Amino acid sequence: MIVCICGLTLYVLQKTRSGSSFNEVLFCATACLMLHAAYALIARYFFDALPFVDRGAPFGLMYGPLLYLAAFSNDAGKLKKKNLLLHAFPFLLATVCYIVFLSETDFRNTHLSAYYAVLYGSKTISMFVYVLVIFFNQKKITNDLSLRNLVKSAAIWLILIASLFASIMISRVLERKDIGVMLPGVVIYGSMLLVSALIFKYSIGRLLAGAGTAAQNQETEKQNQQYKKSALTPAMLEEYEERLDKAMNDDLVFLDTELSLESLSKKVKIPKHHLTQLFNTKINRSFYQYINTFRITYSCQLLKEATEITLEEIAFQSGFNSKVSFNRYFKTQMNCTPSEYRQQYH
């Protein structure tokens, strides 16, 4: 079941890959889940008499790093291979030890308990440490509520598995007891099934959103045809965009609740029809979509830091002229209400 869900998820993620680091990490995590489940299935079916083949595998050392990279990934950039390799180093080292463990019978017979103690101790520490780092740095997690919820759900299940590993280590190493394979298998692979289902749900949502974006792009292409005879050159568009960026990031003109296309045109000294063409052909967003993106980003900062002011005050301070429009645009951009977003941090 896990292999099938992960296979479908990888297909959907491949179709919707945007180059963002979060989606790259999600692709790697899904591939890891699929490989782990497939390996466990083969080990339990073909090597049932050799339980150490499954129990000694080091896959658990990858889940903490993958969750960490997903939580703090920059959605605008690509995943750096150096970061992935750095966090994956314990897993790679453990894989080498695992190969030695499988191939050297004398070593395995002599150091079986020590191997399990180090392996499960490392898994437990790795998972707990990565989850704690995420917990104490929640404000740095991606602003998208759906992504935050996905990360938090995975973190909860990771803590559950880490607790199980700690129990296994205590039972096997300290108390010399074997708790069997049924309970650990149900918890571990049940957790993997749930997380893979959550990732699949997220990937389907991305696919549906992408379908809507494709339709919007077709409309944009039609608009671009209208500007083919325009005297506005690419160099002029670049210059206009730089002026617009400066007005937004340095002068914060979006905080003006009465800002309109005409007044913005005067502020940045760009003819109104040229500004419209800039939005339609280069920025690929309408005037209000563009302005409200900055307003929502600004409001997110206020929601994180200014706990003493009301949502209505935040709306006006961010440039909106009504709480209703603020709530509507916030919900559209952040996939949650302003109050729900604030609760994530306080």
Side-chain angles (χ1 to χ4, degrees):
M1 179 66 75
I2 298 173
V3 175
C4 293
I5 292 176
C6 288
L8 288 172
T9 304
L10 288 175
Y11 175 77
V12 174
L13 287 174
Q14 184 65 38
K15 288 288 185 181
T16 58
R17 290 184 89 167
S18 60
S20 70
S21 56
F22 183 86
N23 284 309
E24 292 294 327
V25 174
L26 211 58
F27 191 89
C28 291
T30 305
C32 185
L33 282 167
M34 184 177 180
L35 181 61
H36 186 179
Y39 185 85
L41 181 64
I42 293 171
R44 294 193 175 204
Y45 186 79
F46 292 102
F47 302 96
D48 185 52
L50 304 173
F52 57 83
V53 174
D54 180 29
R55 295 183 188 183
F59 289 104
L61 289 171
M62 275 303 297
Y63 294 124
L66 286 169
L67 182 64
Y68 171 86
L69 292 172
F72 302 113
S73 58
N74 175 11
D75 200 52
K78 291 186 176 181
L79 175 65
K80 293 182 179 179
K81 291 183 179 180
K82 183 174 69 175
N83 289 343
L84 180 60
L85 289 174
L86 177 65
H87 290 279
F89 179 75
F91 167 75
L92 297 175
L93 181 62
T95 300
V96 174
C97 296
Y98 176 60
I99 293 172
V100 174
F101 176 75
L102 291 179
S103 58
E104 298 293 334
T105 305
D106 292 338
F107 174 83
R108 185 171 63 250
N109 292 335
T110 306
H111 301 93
L112 181 65
S113 295
Y115 177 83
Y116 279 138
V118 173
L119 177 64
Y120 283 93
S122 300
K123 289 180 180 180
T124 303
I125 293 171
S126 172
M127 291 178 181
F128 273 123
V129 167
Y130 276 109
V131 170
L132 286 174
V133 170
I134 293 171
F135 177 78
F136 286 112
N137 293 275
Q138 291 186 59
K139 292 185 177 181
K140 297 180 182 179
I141 299 177
T142 175
N143 287 330
D144 190 315
L145 185 63
S146 62
L147 304 188
R148 290 174 63 88
N149 288 338
L150 181 61
V151 169
K152 286 186 175 181
S153 297
I156 291 171
W157 287 102
L158 204 62
I159 284 292
L160 179 62
I161 294 175
S163 301
L164 176 65
F165 284 157
S167 300
I168 291 174
M169 184 177 65
I170 292 172
S171 298
R172 174 172 286 276
V173 179
L174 300 182
E175 299 179 3
R176 302 292 180 179
K177 294 180 181 179
D178 191 345
I179 64 174
V181 298
M182 179 60 71
L183 177 61
V186 169
V187 175
I188 293 172
Y189 298 112
S191 300
M192 289 171 60
L193 178 62
L194 180 63
V195 172
S196 61
L198 289 173
I199 297 175
F200 178 70
K201 179 183 176 183
Y202 168 80
S203 64
I204 289 296
R206 294 277 301 186
L207 181 64
L208 296 176
T213 302
Q216 186 178 7
N217 290 340
Q218 289 180 355
E219 182 63 27
T220 301
E221 183 62 28
K222 290 180 182 178
Q223 292 177 341
N224 290 343
Q225 295 295 326
Q226 300 173 3
Y227 295 112
K228 279 196 170 181
K229 296 181 181 179
S230 172
L232 196 57
T233 64
M236 293 173 67
L237 281 172
E238 288 286 348
E239 182 187 343
Y240 285 164
E241 188 174 24
E242 288 178 7
R243 285 193 215 173
L244 197 57
D245 286 342
K246 183 179 183 302
M248 295 296 134
N249 297 308
D250 297 343
D251 303 331
L252 305 181
V253 298
F254 59 86
L255 297 180
D256 180 3
T257 57
E258 302 300 323
L259 188 67
S260 65
L261 184 63
E262 186 173 354
S263 62
L264 178 62
S265 173
K266 293 177 181 178
K267 288 177 183 292
V268 296
K269 297 180 174 56
I270 299 175
K272 184 178 175 181
H273 63 285
H274 283 178
L275 193 56
T276 301
Q277 183 174 343
L278 176 65
F279 282 126
N280 288 336
T281 62
K282 189 161 179 62
I283 298 176
N284 293 322
R285 279 182 286 178
S286 70
F287 163 75
Y288 285 109
Q289 287 174 331
Y290 179 79
I291 296 300
N292 287 328
T293 296
F294 285 94
R295 288 172 173 169
I296 294 302
T297 302
Y298 187 84
S299 72
C300 285
Q301 198 63 32
L302 293 179
L303 288 167
K304 290 179 184 178
E305 300 173 353
T307 58
E308 70 286 353
I309 61 177
T310 66
L311 295 178
E312 189 170 9
E313 289 175 313
I314 287 178
F316 286 110
Q317 288 184 27
S318 302
F320 291 95
N321 54 20
S322 75
K323 185 181 176 181
V324 174
S325 61
F326 170 56
N327 286 335
R328 183 174 69 253
Y329 281 108
F330 196 98
K331 177 75 172 178
T332 300
Q333 184 170 323
M334 304 303 299
N335 296 319
C336 66
T337 64
S339 58
E340 289 173 340
Y341 182 84
R342 174 177 263 179
Q343 288 171 5
Q344 296 285 324
Y345 297 94
H346 305 287

